[in-house]
Amino acid sequence: MRAYWFDNLPGDQRELHDSGREATLDDLARLGIKYYTCPNISDVDKIAEERNYKNRDEITISPEKMGDAYEDKVKMFFHEHLHEDEEIRYILDGSGYFDVRNKDDDWVRLQFAPNDLMIMPPGIYHRFTPDMNNYTVAMRLFKDEPKWTPLNRGEETDVNQHRVDYLKMRDELMT
């Protein structure tokens, strides 16, 4: 995994968009993001057990797998949103980007490849896109039944209790 500030320049969202300003694991930790390298599925199983993740599934994001719906799905994933549960992703194959908002509302881009596992806290604004290879296979882990409910950013999500709790937690991590 590599992290850096998104350059905000026009262009395809799947491009690198590297500002040249690196973000560290400490920067990510201050946002509540946990990162692990998991070369074996047993490493993922251990984290799942420690965090009480009971369910998992796999998603393949590619034009071949998704057909005509691919471009619409990629646009949907890239729309800024939050979840009311942790978002846990383990990259099995391919690559892609997760963008997360920092305290100043800037985008930090996380570039993922196989064996990368990330846990985002509930309430953090983020988005996902595959890279120019247009191929990502990810395992999604869940504490309860598998669900993926994005709440798109807006006035309602700004006051969502999970968002309010996240901001409080993030501010405490910043001190």
Side-chain angles (χ1 to χ4, degrees), residues 78-167:
F78 199 65
H79 195 89
E80 183 175 3
H81 62 277
L82 62 78
H83 300 284
E84 293 184 337
D85 299 303
E86 288 183 335
E87 181 157 341
I88 309 95
R89 298 296 180 264
Y90 174 59
I91 305 301
L92 295 162
D93 198 12
S95 49
Y97 305 110
F98 279 93
D99 299 334
V100 297
R101 290 284 190 186
N102 75 351
K103 186 173 176 135
D104 297 321
D105 216 29
D106 295 323
W107 286 115
V108 177
R109 176 157 273 195
L110 291 73
Q111 183 178 28
F112 285 93
N115 302 326
D116 289 335
L117 184 143
M118 173 198 55
I119 303 169
M120 286 190 288
I124 188 172
Y125 283 127
H126 65 282
R127 60 191 184 187
F128 171 80
T129 187
D131 60 18
M132 297 303 284
N133 293 317
N134 290 307
Y135 179 72
T136 309
V137 180
M139 178 185 292
R140 304 182 299 184
L141 294 99
F142 306 92
K143 290 193 176 191
D144 294 308
E145 290 301 312
K147 68 177 182 176
W148 187 84
T149 307
L151 302 174
N152 291 336
R153 187 171 185 172
E155 291 178 17
E156 287 182 23
T157 54
D158 285 343
V159 295
N160 175 292
Q161 190 59 51
H162 296 277
R163 177 69 180 163
V164 171
D165 292 346
Y166 167 72
L167 292 174

Side-chain angles (χ1 to χ4, degrees), residues 66-74:
M66 299 176 134
D68 293 339
Y70 177 73
E71 290 297 331
D72 288 339
K73 283 285 191 188
V74 167

